[in-house]
Amino acid sequence: MSKAIKISKGIDIKLQGESERKIEAGGTSRIYALKPSDFFGMVPKLTVKEGEEVKAGSPLFYDKQREEILFTSPVSGEVVEIKRGEKRRILEVKILADSETQYKSFDSWKAGSGDRDSLVKTMLSMGLWPFIIQRPYGVIASPGDNPRDIFVSTSDTAPLAPDAAFILESEKADFQYGIDALKKLTAGAVHLGVKKGESFFNEIQGVVKHDVSGPHPAGNVGVLIHHVAPINKGEIIWTVAALDVALIGRSLRQGKFDATRTIALSGSEVKAPKYFKTRLGAGLDSIVADNVKEGKVRYISGNVLTGSKEEPTGYLGFYHNQITLIPEGDEPQFFLTEGWLGLGADKFSLSRSYPSWLMPGKKYRLDTNMNGEKRAFVMTGEMEKVFPFDIYPLQLIKSIMINDIDSMEKLGIYEVIAEDFATCEFVCTSKIDIQLVVSQGLADMRKEFAS
Amino acid sequence: MKVLENLLGKVKPNFEKGGKLEKYWPVFDALETFAFVPGHTTQRGTHVRDGIDMKRTMFLVIVALIPPLLFGIYNTGYQHYLAAGIDAGFWDMCLFGFGKILPLIIVSYGVGLGVEFVFTIIKSHAINEGFLVSGMLIPLIMPVDIPLWMVAVATAFSVVFVKEVFGGTGMNILNVALTARAFLFFAYPTEMSGDKVWISTDGLAQTVDGYTGETLLAQAIEKGAQFSDVTGTAYSSVGESFMASFIGFIPGSLGETSALAILIGAVILLITGIASWRIILTGVLGGMAMGLIFNILGPQFFPENLYLQVPWWHQLVMGGFIFGIVYMATDPVTATQTNTGKWIYGFLIGLLGILIRVVNPAYPEGIMMAILFMNVMAPTIDHYVIQANIKRRLKRLKTA
């Protein structure tokens, strides 16, 4: 059953500022926040008011469409602010943390015991459910569904991504515990994608292991699914990130929502990039503090391809296990010296029009400049070089742009989510926001088929 | 460069919303973004972007067009003085050729960019860089003595009816430069074919004895591979005429004669990855295949048609075949978009290019017709390639 998956299409963007393999305790964050925007396609309904006291594991809001899905507080403390944006959309629910975290207690789950329903109920009430993502659409799984399989990818090939095997070193038992829980949730198999040569996961029981190698996006769970058993129309697959499996296992074992997480602080603008132990929703400043270089810096919760842009005072995203700091590129570039006609030794490109292909080992300090303006699609064949799916990316994107539901379905939209197109977006000569287009397409599809 | 940046910053408010020159924003924007890559930053999606953009891409195509352009300048003078029977020096030839080609380039860019600017002002969208390449291609596929007004008309026709009415760069179905040539070919055949147009004989009191001015394409119809140069002197062997056309000392459209210069351009396009190697490779293979078929079957079935007997390797360096394959067939907008489609598309262009040229002497420039025809067929090829992918997906559903 186990498969060796060798990916050749893709691109490794080599950036400066890889995290040193050293875990430190992050500074204590005074305020933690949960951001509804982290959950694709979810409309929140609040259960708390400003000024209310909560414990770690107390619900803050729930999904309006599926009320059983709760989003619980990572810490105990007081709800100090509910930040709203346009049309009173909830942006952040902020909690002023107690100095000592009080946990709401739940019934712990004993590996292998009980039936599926009670496990689901426990996970829902603890706020562990949002860690399970379903495909198609890339939204939080519906508890009532019976997924064909569950996929976990432990290999993150994104630029400067943290090494899951390193982070989980002391949490192997919790990871196994989490896998045991996932096994209970599906009648199918739990597939585990492992970086080729990584032995850490060898002892994990109850999974089908697959060796994965190749350039990014080889480590994406979508690539794993596509090469193991692609999603067909009508099928449902669940996915969980590797670190979240351990978090689920730990919380179930202890009977409390333990939102601690080790993340990587990386990027060229970090003085000393390394790993930090922190908690979901922590303020970025508690981790970054003064570990940042001079100049205008982009704060990213997540990696440079799929992460979200944050203010220095922003918060760590729910699914993110990395903070990346890169320089802002908001200065105009004169065309001959550093712009479109320059030699560009410090620029990175898939095309060989920049010298980056002659220096395969070089690490780059890339900034956030678009390096050009938005255009209609002109070039062809470039996305195919970085998109390891048996799907025509350009044609799928065009069908989404004209909102042709029928074509989107035929061209394979069920198999992908926005992150799978991140490399395509990076290389696009026409500078089109491809991930945004794909997200829009998934939202349209979901609406079309909503009962 | 701060000076230029400050100057642009100073006049910018006039062009912005509410400014008195608001209408001309696209023109200002085009000039500003030409000089400076704007400080736009990523906001959603990936936070870093590949260094390449449309300007660099298009500029590299122009760089790849420089070798045939330079050779064209030289060859125009060379052929002129050969026809005149004057022993001229290298720089005289270059100077003559330069004087012939420069006006064509100016007219092509002037008219094309003018039309483009007008359209962007009307439709107020950003100016696309596509015409930078088309504007250079058009002069290179014209006969040397083409009247400038014809170039202007053809360019305007092509930009308006082939590109802008379809929505601008990226939306056109036919190759813009090639359509300009086809337009002239059908509208003014006497200026675009025959044996009078390929060499500039303007102002010459007389030409040398035996002067014909015929291209190899015209000669092949009558005499097969027994080629002679413009003075009527026969080449001593097929090898010699091959070398002459490989290097480019033959009459023809301005940029198309030298296979060598075009191959240098092709190397630039292939190394940078801007042109599809699939199309170029299969295009040449298609031309070879058709040439070979003619070589094998010709003497048996049509012994009186000597054109069929021109060796296949010689066919490749005659006329605009290589130029068309390298610079026109690879236009990403009008070619097939799928990789599988590119194999088919390129091969058929090569095949049809030689087929049309040989079988229908009324269209000596078969490659032009072949590319335009395949431009039209490209979406159909892609359609079937994509259907195969869709069927594969459906089949998986049934077997699952």
Side-chain angles (χ1 to χ4, degrees):
Chain A
M1 271 290 277
S2 164
K3 249 181 166 172
I5 299 162
K6 212 173 161 230
I7 300 297
S8 56
K9 292 176 175 176
I11 183 167
D12 279 329
I13 304 162
K14 297 194 181 72
L15 298 181
Q16 292 175 6
E18 196 176 331
S19 300
E20 191 191 342
R21 289 174 161 262
K22 203 162 85 181
I23 301 179
E24 269 186 25
T28 19
S29 185
R30 227 168 55 83
I31 292 185
Y32 289 78
L34 217 51
K35 297 175 281 185
S37 60
D38 284 347
F39 310 100
F40 180 63
M42 195 273 301
V43 181
K45 192 93 182 151
L46 287 172
T47 55
V48 290
K49 289 195 191 79
E50 280 179 20
E52 219 168 289
E53 292 285 334
V54 291
K55 286 180 173 172
S58 307
L60 298 176
F61 49 87
Y62 60 86
D63 183 345
K64 204 172 172 185
Q65 290 144 8
R66 297 173 291 178
E67 296 184 0
E68 65 276 27
I69 299 177
L70 304 179
F71 301 84
T72 56
S73 176
V75 287
S76 63
E78 184 196 344
V79 179
V80 281
E81 190 192 348
I82 291 162
K83 191 176 164 192
R84 289 174 186 269
E86 276 171 38
K87 296 184 189 164
R88 291 184 47 78
R89 207 160 61 95
I90 301 162
L91 299 180
E92 286 164 358
V93 179
K94 294 185 188 174
I95 297 129
L96 179 66
D98 297 338
S99 52
E100 194 78 20
T101 307
Q102 309 278 317
Y103 290 94
K104 187 175 172 189
S105 76
F106 298 90
D107 293 336
S108 63
W109 177 79
K110 248 199 158 123
S113 72
D115 56 359
R116 183 181 190 269
D117 283 350
S118 65
L119 172 62
V120 169
K121 213 172 257 167
T122 309
M123 288 181 69
L124 281 168
S125 60
M126 290 173 94
L128 296 174
W129 198 260
F131 288 111
I132 304 176
I133 301 292
Q134 84 160 48
R135 294 208 185 195
Y137 312 133
V139 296
I140 298 169
S142 288
D145 286 338
N146 211 331
R148 191 195 74 194
D149 295 302
I150 296 179
F151 284 81
V152 177
S153 172
T154 64
S155 139
D156 192 344
T157 46
L160 303 175
D163 180 1
F166 170 67
I167 291 179
L168 294 175
E169 210 152 17
S170 59
E171 298 177 45
K172 199 182 262 184
D174 288 336
F175 187 80
Q176 179 67 59
Y177 216 90
I179 292 284
D180 293 341
L182 295 183
K183 269 201 76 71
K184 198 99 196 168
L185 295 177
T186 176
V190 176
H191 294 272
L192 194 68
V194 179
K195 188 166 91 190
K196 199 178 169 201
E198 175 61 69
S199 56
F200 179 77
F201 298 97
N202 284 356
E203 299 145 40
I204 301 298
Q205 302 295 314
V207 292
V208 185
K209 273 188 224 88
H210 307 278
D211 276 350
V212 182
S213 60
H216 190 63
N220 276 13
V221 70
V223 176
L224 182 69
I225 300 170
H226 185 81
H227 289 269
V228 172
I231 306 169
N232 295 309
K233 187 183 176 179
E235 290 178 341
I236 287 174
I237 298 285
W238 287 356
T239 69
V240 185
L243 297 188
D244 297 342
V245 173
L247 194 153
I248 291 172
R250 189 182 344 125
S251 298
L252 284 174
R253 183 169 55 79
Q254 300 176 337
K256 63 181 191 186
F257 181 47
D258 182 355
T260 51
R261 156 172 294 179
T262 305
I263 63 152
L265 174 62
S266 57
S268 61
E269 300 315 287
V270 182
K271 280 185 198 159
K274 54 194 159 194
Y275 288 82
F276 286 93
K277 207 167 186 121
T278 180
R279 209 174 256 273
L280 287 183
L284 297 186
D285 46 4
S286 73
I287 301 152
V288 178
D290 57 355
N291 194 359
V292 56
K293 292 178 185 165
E294 296 277 306
K296 282 189 197 165
V297 173
R298 166 75 55 96
Y299 283 65
I300 303 164
S301 171
N303 65 53
V304 292
L305 291 178
T306 59
S308 58
K309 178 185 172 186
E310 298 292 337
E311 295 300 318
T313 52
Y315 300 91
L316 182 66
F318 190 80
Y319 298 104
H320 294 149
N321 43 33
Q322 182 179 10
I323 295 169
T324 316
L325 307 185
I326 57 170
E328 283 284 3
D330 53 359
E331 287 290 317
Q333 307 165 347
F334 183 60
F335 78 112
L336 282 177
T337 50
E338 47 196 346
W340 59 275
L341 247 183
L343 176 66
D346 52 354
K347 289 197 175 164
F348 181 78
S349 180
L350 170 77
S351 86
R352 288 177 296 257
S353 68
Y354 282 96
S356 59
W357 64 286
L358 296 169
M359 305 176 282
K362 182 171 169 176
K363 292 192 169 160
Y364 293 83
R365 179 176 176 263
L366 299 185
D367 62 27
T368 61
N369 196 285
M370 292 290 284
N371 291 322
E373 304 111 272
K374 201 162 282 182
R375 289 291 179 255
F377 279 118
V378 167
M379 299 305 284
T380 60
E382 56 186 12
M383 291 186 200
E384 283 82 350
K385 288 183 191 161
V386 296
F387 189 68
F389 292 82
D390 183 22
I391 289 173
Y392 283 101
L394 184 66
Q395 283 71 20
L396 176 57
I397 289 158
K398 285 183 175 175
S399 72
I400 296 171
M401 284 174 155
I402 58 169
N403 199 16
D404 179 349
I405 300 277
D406 188 43
S407 293
M408 291 185 312
E409 186 179 300
K410 283 180 181 166
L411 289 168
I413 195 167
Y414 294 131
E415 302 174 42
V416 292
I417 61 172
E419 65 174 24
D420 297 321
F421 282 88
T423 47
C424 294
E425 180 168 302
F426 174 78
V427 302
C428 180
T429 303
S430 296
K431 311 290 177 192
I432 289 167
D433 291 328
I434 289 169
Q435 293 189 85
L436 191 71
V437 173
V438 175
S439 296
Q440 187 58 51
L442 290 169
D444 290 348
M445 282 307 275
R446 189 172 175 227
K447 212 161 136 199
E448 184 80 14
F449 290 104
S451 43
Chain B
M1 281 316 118
K2 267 285 175 237
V3 184
L4 184 58
E5 200 180 330
N6 291 340
L7 180 75
L8 283 168
K10 211 186 258 171
V11 296
K12 194 170 185 170
N14 293 327
F15 294 95
E16 279 170 339
K17 257 207 151 56
K20 51 185 182 224
L21 299 171
E22 183 189 344
K23 265 203 308 204
Y24 299 99
W25 166 253
V27 180
F28 175 80
D29 182 57
L31 294 175
E32 190 195 21
T33 59
F34 182 90
F36 292 95
V37 173
H40 298 165
T41 56
T42 53
Q43 294 301 324
R44 296 165 296 202
T46 62
H47 297 265
V48 291
R49 291 281 191 152
D50 195 294
I52 193 147
D53 71 343
M54 204 57 75
K55 286 190 176 69
R56 193 174 179 93
T57 306
M58 293 300 175
F59 184 78
L60 279 164
V61 183
I62 294 180
V63 169
L65 279 166
I66 289 174
L69 171 68
L70 291 181
F71 189 87
I73 288 173
Y74 171 63
N75 190 47
T76 300
Y78 174 81
Q79 298 292 339
H80 169 80
Y81 288 115
L82 200 62
I86 300 168
D87 208 8
F90 175 78
W91 292 111
D92 289 335
M93 292 176 183
C94 290
L95 204 64
F96 180 86
F98 189 70
K100 283 285 170 191
I101 291 185
L102 189 64
L104 291 177
I105 295 177
I106 292 172
V107 168
S108 157
Y109 272 120
V111 172
L113 290 177
V115 172
E116 192 114 330
F117 274 43
V118 169
F119 266 86
T120 53
I121 290 167
I122 295 173
K123 299 204 282 187
S124 64
H125 63 57
I127 288 172
N128 274 247
E129 291 79 9
F131 191 77
L132 294 179
V133 170
S134 307
M136 182 55 86
L137 281 171
I138 289 173
L140 292 181
I141 52 175
M142 292 293 162
V144 60
D145 271 343
I146 185 97
L148 293 177
W149 67 267
M150 283 190 191
V151 179
V153 171
T155 305
F157 170 85
S158 206
V159 173
V160 173
F161 289 102
V162 175
K163 192 158 88 171
E164 295 300 346
V165 296
F166 287 95
T169 302
M171 315 289 179
N172 47 313
I173 292 168
L174 297 176
N175 183 295
V176 176
L178 213 44
T179 312
R181 192 182 198 280
F183 173 81
L184 290 178
F185 181 80
F186 289 107
Y188 307 100
T190 52
E191 304 286 344
M192 290 297 290
S193 51
D195 49 16
K196 300 283 176 282
V197 300
W198 306 108
I199 295 169
S200 176
T201 51
D202 284 359
L204 285 186
Q206 58 176 49
T207 49
V208 293
D209 287 347
Y211 171 78
T212 62
E214 274 186 327
T215 62
L216 300 196
L217 296 174
Q219 294 177 25
I221 298 166
E222 306 270 305
K223 300 181 281 188
Q226 306 296 311
F227 297 116
S228 48
D229 69 11
V230 288
T231 61
T233 323
Y235 290 108
S236 63
S237 65
V238 184
E240 199 190 335
S241 64
F242 172 82
M243 277 318 286
S245 20
F246 178 75
I247 296 173
F249 294 112
I250 52 169
S253 297
L254 289 168
E256 72 173 22
T257 60
S258 172
L260 181 64
I262 294 163
L263 287 178
I264 295 171
V267 168
I268 296 173
L269 289 179
L270 291 177
I271 286 183
T272 52
I274 283 169
S276 163
W277 60 271
R278 292 181 177 87
I279 292 177
I280 295 182
L281 177 71
T282 54
V284 172
L285 286 177
M288 282 179 179
M290 199 71 235
L292 261 175
I293 292 171
F294 283 147
N295 287 172
I296 294 165
L297 300 182
Q300 280 179 359
F301 297 100
F302 305 100
E304 71 287 353
N305 189 341
L306 293 173
Y307 208 152
L308 301 182
Q309 294 170 28
V310 174
W312 57 269
W313 40 273
H314 205 305
Q315 287 276 18
L316 299 181
V317 296
M318 287 160 57
F321 182 81
I322 286 287
F323 191 90
I325 297 277
V326 170
Y327 297 109
M328 310 277 205
T330 54
D331 171 4
V333 176
T334 57
T336 44
Q337 298 180 343
T338 56
N339 285 339
T340 316
K342 280 171 186 163
W343 296 106
I344 304 168
Y345 172 83
F347 190 78
L348 287 179
I349 285 180
L351 202 78
L352 290 175
I354 300 292
L355 177 74
I356 296 170
R357 161 200 288 189
V358 172
V359 173
N360 190 342
Y363 298 137
E365 208 37 283
I367 192 70
M368 172 179 82
M369 313 304 287
I371 294 173
L372 288 175
F373 179 70
M374 291 309 295
N375 280 172
V376 176
M377 299 312 282
T380 312
I381 298 174
D382 276 339
H383 174 78
Y384 284 106
V385 171
I386 291 163
Q387 283 303 315
N389 177 274
I390 290 171
K391 281 201 186 115
R392 210 153 51 233
R393 193 164 289 115
L394 284 175
K395 205 172 141 203
R396 200 170 73 202
L397 181 61
K398 275 178 203 135
T399 55

